[in-house]
Amino acid sequence: MSFGKFLLKRSLQGLVVIWGVVTVLFGLRAITPGDPVNLIVDPAVDQATRDRIREELGLDQPIYVQYVDYLQDLLVGDLGYSYQSSRPVTTMVLERVPATLELAVAATVIALVIAIPLGVISGTRRNEPADYGATSFSLVGISTPNFWLGIMLILLLAVQIDIFPTGRRPVAFHDALWTFLTTFYVGDLLTWLHHIILPAVTLGTYFTALITRLTRSGMLDEYGKPYVTATEAKGIPGVLIRYKHVLRNTMIPIITVLGLQFGTLLGGAVVTETVFSWPGLGLRLIDGINNLDWPLIQGIIIFIGISYVVINIAVDAIYAKLNPRVIDE
Amino acid sequence: MISDRIKSNLSREFRESLLAKVGLVLLVAILIMGLFAPVLATHNPHTTGYFDDDGNAYPPMGVSYDSHQWVDGERVTYTAEPSADHYLGTNNIGQDVFSRLLFGARTSLMVGVFGTGLAVLIGVPFGLVSGYYGGRVDDAMMRVADIMLAFPSLVLALALIGVMGSLTIPIPDPFVFAGVADGMPASTPLPGTVTLVVGLVTWVWFARVARGEAMSIRNEEYVKAARSLGANDREILLKHVLPNSLTPVIVLATIQVAAIILLESSLSYLGFSGTTLSWGYEIQQGQDYLRTAWWVSTVPGIGIVLSVISINLLGDWLRDSLDPNIEGEGGGAG
């Protein structure tokens, strides 16, 4: 199979998954007890108005007609209107994406910057104090709920020693960057950084722990292979072997796991955003669920599902480029 | 099933592994805490209000905990500090933090074990059928699994709770009925919706593991032999494939209990628990009072971390000794 065919096949499978996600959400909305009309207007309103709203929402149609309408709307990017605020859901989702993206990227960067050196040290100095330190850290990091970690960070670094804010996002990264590029004023960027550090550490700790573990075990596996002995015999310095050859081979499974764990990252973002009042998709999802605002819930979860599928196709594509044997498996 | 070789492997690894012992001791301690909560607790976990050393009642007469009172811009609370009467202090409405820690262990362990049990009951048959039959059946069933995986477990759990609402099942307390736990609640609420939901969002990991096992077992000589002796698919699945795929399922189930405890705590932190006797709920309650009462949020969090660590240590030990190559959510935080 060629790479193009492989990509096409994976994309088609991805489409099936997205269709499944969309259908599951339609089903969940349909079986939710209660009349959505009551969520839009006062339950005491007269029957004529209720019927009119019902008709506008298409709720008077048979369920399969509603389903087809829903799919047609989705194809053109129309996620409907929020019950609570009557705003278009597509806008409500998109305007919250930057905040969540900032958080997810910052958390991933923190995780990679800390975890990879830690994993390399741990894997190359097996059973030395540094290794014990790194493995204990990763055990605790994997076992700590991120919302509690966030609250403990607030307690220590925002309440006891007042060096970080307890939450909120006073300025968006793209705005701060724009200000900097146009006026060379760096203050907004610093404010942004000051506010994102605690949430990003909170969200990133689990991944730091996970990647440390993976890097360590990957290094241990790779070190047993003959090519390492061969490069050592050629007199190539240890640092170069560790970081250039061994680490590169270890990175392949790490990238795959990062793709698969992307969902966990977004799930973690929901909780982290709640702890720090970070105005992203997660905080809006919680609002939606508290109000049973199904168009909003649907819209956010569809967005998350599609991102997950797209990221995993991209990861598979990178993987196939790095290791063409997988294409034929 | 579990052979003698595996048994000797388990015991050798256990003798050698200090961490496994630490994990076991911790877990037994937490199990005792949860199981005997009505006996060990010093106060009814629902009782609000307390007395100070001079016998003065808090909150004072006529003051309610529910009405949030503000004096000079500060929220007034009657939170007691840790003392001889309240080992770990009280929370913002004067409930005993120590007693709530014990009952919280009960909730976490119950949801962890029942939720995992449900996930096994759905996931293992699904995976075995998919892997055993292979071909188109497998393709279709694995697409279903892919769809499940495209939802982050926490997000799907939230959506399902939105559909089902919060259901609680009261579980009678044996100690109260035996008359040894005076003044304790007569039953522990099991958050029914949450238990159901955590099983429904995590079964797919068991399906994947069981499928992998079934795929390799179906081509074994003894399965071929059984088939040529006239055994039908159902008999083969139940008598041969199921027993021989249990080892990795047991390892995964151990780790999943930890993952589900974390998931339950996240859900109750976000306000979707169905019971107030939950560590996550308690942490959420304490978040507003970090300045005046740090212990309210801190104590239950330590409970979560220690339970999850102990289960993960035991899971690592099982995995190392049985050494199946399995993947799973691990102790997925959040």
Side-chain angles (χ1 to χ4, degrees):
Chain A
M1 208 192 301
S2 70
F3 179 71
K5 250 184 154 178
F6 170 77
L7 204 58
L8 185 69
K9 191 181 158 210
R10 284 291 292 112
S11 306
L12 287 176
Q13 285 176 345
L15 274 181
V16 174
V17 172
I18 290 172
W19 167 78
V21 167
V22 161
T23 305
V24 166
L25 284 165
F26 178 83
L28 290 179
R29 176 185 184 171
I31 61 171
T32 303
D35 186 353
V37 175
N38 288 340
L39 298 168
I40 300 168
V41 291
D42 194 293
V45 89
D46 65 276
Q47 193 59 37
T49 320
R50 296 180 69 94
D51 288 345
R52 190 177 50 77
I53 294 169
R54 191 166 281 283
E55 206 180 308
E56 274 172 17
L57 292 174
L59 292 172
D60 53 337
Q61 303 283 339
I63 193 88
Y64 61 89
V65 177
Q66 290 185 35
Y67 179 63
V68 172
D69 283 348
Y70 163 75
L71 289 184
Q72 278 173 347
D73 286 347
L74 280 180
L75 281 178
V76 294
D78 178 1
L79 293 165
Y81 291 86
S82 156
Y83 289 161
Q84 203 69 26
S85 67
S86 306
R87 296 177 59 211
V89 170
T90 313
T91 318
M92 292 179 77
V93 171
L94 291 180
E95 71 191 9
R96 287 298 181 98
V97 171
T100 300
L101 198 65
E102 285 167 15
L103 194 56
V105 170
T108 312
V109 168
I110 290 179
L112 291 174
V113 167
I114 298 175
I116 288 179
L118 207 58
V120 170
I121 292 168
S122 181
T124 46
R125 299 190 187 162
R126 197 178 185 184
N127 296 335
E128 287 177 32
D131 182 28
Y132 289 130
T135 38
S136 321
F137 160 76
S138 53
L139 177 67
V140 175
I142 282 173
S143 309
T144 304
N146 59 3
F147 62 91
W148 185 69
L149 176 68
I151 292 174
M152 290 300 105
L153 289 174
I154 291 177
L155 177 61
L156 289 176
L157 299 176
V159 173
Q160 300 289 340
I161 319 167
D162 187 8
I163 47 176
F164 284 107
T166 55
R168 291 191 313 109
R169 171 175 169 268
V171 57
F173 177 72
H174 54 266
D175 289 336
L177 188 67
W178 182 248
T179 311
F180 174 68
L181 291 177
T182 49
T183 65
F184 297 106
Y185 173 66
V186 78
D188 281 0
L189 269 181
L190 291 177
T191 307
W192 174 82
L193 193 67
H194 193 208
H195 281 79
I196 204 172
I197 288 179
L198 289 190
V201 169
T202 300
L203 181 58
T205 297
Y206 169 71
F207 293 91
T208 313
L210 187 72
I211 298 169
T212 306
R213 263 194 174 189
L214 289 172
T215 312
R216 176 179 185 270
S217 60
M219 294 295 284
L220 288 175
D221 282 352
E222 286 293 316
Y223 256 90
K225 293 189 176 165
Y227 77 91
V228 178
T229 323
T231 37
E232 272 171 349
K234 277 164 95 181
I236 292 171
V239 176
L240 207 62
I241 299 177
R242 278 201 285 281
Y243 284 92
K244 195 174 168 211
H245 300 283
V246 178
L247 181 61
R248 197 166 65 187
N249 288 326
T250 310
M251 282 313 288
I252 298 174
I254 292 178
I255 292 172
T256 315
V257 172
L258 276 182
L260 281 173
Q261 292 281 337
F262 181 70
T264 315
L265 184 70
L266 289 175
V270 173
V271 184
T272 308
E273 287 173 8
T274 309
V275 175
F276 290 96
S277 315
W278 189 261
L281 283 173
L283 209 54
R284 187 147 274 179
L285 177 66
I286 300 292
D287 270 354
I289 289 172
N290 277 322
N291 296 319
L292 280 183
D293 192 342
W294 269 102
L296 184 60
I297 301 173
Q298 250 174 8
I300 294 173
I301 301 182
I302 288 173
F303 182 84
I304 290 175
I306 292 178
S307 334
Y308 177 85
V309 170
V310 170
I311 288 208
N312 276 287
I313 293 174
V315 165
D316 282 356
I318 296 170
Y319 195 86
K321 275 283 177 200
L322 290 173
N323 188 0
R325 274 171 304 177
V326 298
I327 292 180
D328 293 319
E329 276 166 14
Chain B
M1 290 304 283
I2 295 183
S3 68
D4 288 343
R5 187 180 56 78
I6 290 178
K7 271 185 208 151
S8 77
N9 233 354
L10 276 170
S11 65
R12 198 191 61 238
E13 282 273 349
F14 190 75
R15 276 198 306 278
E16 284 169 9
S17 170
L18 174 70
L19 286 176
K21 284 176 201 149
V22 173
L24 188 71
V25 170
L26 259 175
L27 187 62
V28 168
I30 293 163
L31 277 173
I32 290 175
M33 267 171 57
L35 211 59
F36 293 94
V39 182
L40 297 173
T42 52
H43 296 76
N44 184 319
H46 297 299
T47 307
T48 59
Y50 62 93
F51 295 95
D52 69 5
D53 292 342
D54 302 327
N56 300 318
Y58 284 91
M61 286 291 281
V63 177
S64 156
Y65 275 118
D66 301 331
S67 60
H68 295 306
Q69 317 220 1
W70 298 81
V71 175
D72 299 334
E74 285 270 309
R75 205 163 173 178
V76 176
T77 56
Y78 296 100
T79 313
E81 286 183 15
S83 66
D85 187 24
H86 295 280
Y87 302 144
L88 298 170
T90 70
N91 66 9
N92 52 307
I93 52 172
Q95 296 168 328
D96 185 55
V97 170
F98 173 71
S99 303
R100 293 178 71 80
L101 177 73
L102 301 181
F103 278 92
R106 233 171 196 231
T107 308
S108 280
L109 293 169
M110 282 197 302
V111 175
V113 171
F114 291 144
T116 306
L118 182 64
V120 169
L121 286 180
I122 305 171
V124 170
F126 188 97
L128 289 182
V129 167
S130 182
Y132 179 75
Y133 288 100
R136 274 165 196 244
V137 177
D138 183 44
D139 274 348
M141 291 177 89
M142 280 303 110
R143 280 302 86 73
V144 174
D146 284 348
I147 291 167
M148 291 298 299
L149 285 172
F151 295 101
S153 355
L154 179 77
V155 170
L156 185 59
L158 288 171
L160 288 172
I161 289 175
V163 174
M164 294 190 223
S166 291
L167 168 79
T168 309
I169 304 163
I171 293 187
D173 234 322
F175 299 105
V176 177
F177 290 108
V180 288
D182 209 18
M184 287 299 148
S187 66
T188 310
L190 172 74
T193 305
V194 172
T195 310
L196 201 62
V197 160
V198 294
L200 288 176
V201 301
T202 55
W203 62 268
V204 63
W205 299 102
F206 289 97
R208 284 162 66 109
V209 166
R211 169 180 177 260
E213 289 299 302
M215 282 171 81
S216 65
I217 292 168
R218 71 168 175 202
N219 294 324
E220 295 278 346
E221 293 301 324
Y222 60 84
V223 172
K224 287 180 191 162
R227 196 175 291 130
S228 61
L229 287 172
N232 62 27
D233 286 342
R234 209 177 121 253
E235 284 164 0
I236 293 175
L237 271 170
L238 286 177
K239 279 193 196 145
H240 300 288
V241 182
L242 177 66
N244 284 299
S245 58
L246 277 184
T247 314
V249 170
I250 293 169
V251 177
L252 179 62
T254 314
I255 307 170
Q256 281 301 113
V257 172
I260 286 181
I261 288 179
L262 283 171
L263 186 57
E264 186 276 333
S265 70
S266 298
L267 289 171
S268 50
Y269 170 75
L270 294 171
F272 302 101
S273 73
T275 168
T276 60
L277 288 180
S278 160
W279 287 337
Y281 175 84
E282 201 70 0
I283 292 172
Q284 191 265 326
Q285 290 294 299
Q287 193 178 355
D288 286 342
Y289 304 95
L290 288 178
R291 235 168 264 278
T292 48
W294 55 268
W295 53 88
V296 181
S297 281
T298 309
V299 168
I302 295 172
I304 299 173
V305 174
L306 290 182
S307 329
V308 175
I309 286 184
S310 66
I311 296 168
N312 277 341
L313 285 175
L314 286 177
D316 284 350
W317 159 63
L318 281 177
R319 195 200 317 242
D320 289 347
S321 7
L322 309 173
D323 199 33
N325 259 326
I326 62 156
E327 53 167 334
E329 221 167 3

